[in-house]
């Protein structure tokens, strides 16, 4: 079991690194969803109307917008700061995915393969580098799957 912890940590670091390299320049501009999320955050902060339990422009919980906007401010209003929360949450999802793969197969090699494949999947990588909460659902989903697995075994 100790081996899987090392593998999961390695896959997490790998996944995180490939997500933050050139995070502010690739892609070179904000996509419309990123811009809308940031615009809504700026609008609500300048009007002092941020509501933790409210909703974003697209009906998602406002907490997502607040996390991305706060990160944007912490990192000096940079694209890197805006996109960083998605890179972190997707890396956590991949970390949990490695454990889920291990629990289901009891093979460290397969679990590492699962994690590396998900880390480099172009579709998942694209959403992991975007300041939009669409990839954020993966981490709670992996945690829920692990919890259900542990509950039934």
């Amino acid at each position: 079991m100790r081996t899987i912890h090392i593998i999961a940590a390695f896959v997490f670091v790998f996944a995180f690194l490939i997500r933050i390299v050139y995070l502010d320049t690739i892609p070179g501009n904000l996509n419309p969803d990123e811009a809308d999320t940031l615009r809504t955050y700026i609008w609500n902060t300048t009007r002092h109307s941020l509501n933790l339990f409210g909703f974003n422009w697209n009906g998602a919980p406002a907490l997502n917008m607040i996390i991305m906007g706060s990160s944007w401010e912490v990192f000096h209003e940079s694209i890197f700061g805006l996109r960083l929360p998605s890179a972190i949450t997707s890396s956590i999802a991949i970390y949990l995915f490695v454990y889920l793969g291990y629990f289901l197969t009891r093979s460290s090699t397969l679990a590492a393969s699962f994690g590396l494949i998900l880390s480099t999947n172009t579709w998942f990588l694209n959403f992991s580098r975007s300041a939009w909460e669409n990839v954020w659902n993966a981490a709670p989903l992996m945690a829920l799957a692990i919890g259900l697995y542990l509950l039934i075994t």
Side-chain angles (χ1 to χ4, degrees), residues 117-129:
I117 289 169
L118 185 58
S119 295
T120 57
N121 177 281
T122 53
W123 192 252
F124 197 70
L125 188 57
N126 176 54
F127 287 120
S128 298
R129 296 175 58 86

Side-chain angles (χ1 to χ4, degrees), residues 93-152:
I94 293 166
Y95 176 78
L96 294 172
F97 189 66
V98 170
Y99 280 106
L100 182 62
Y102 178 76
F103 290 148
L104 294 175
T105 65
R106 293 295 177 202
S107 169
S108 298
T109 304
L110 279 176
S113 299
F114 296 158
L116 292 173
I117 289 169
L118 185 58
S119 295
T120 57
N121 177 281
T122 53
W123 192 252
F124 197 70
L125 188 57
N126 176 54
F127 287 120
S128 298
R129 296 175 58 86
S130 165
W132 196 35
E133 67 278 345
N134 50 7
V135 77
W136 291 26
N137 298 327
L141 180 64
M142 290 301 113
L144 178 63
I146 290 170
L148 288 174
Y149 173 80
L150 294 174
L151 183 67
I152 62 175

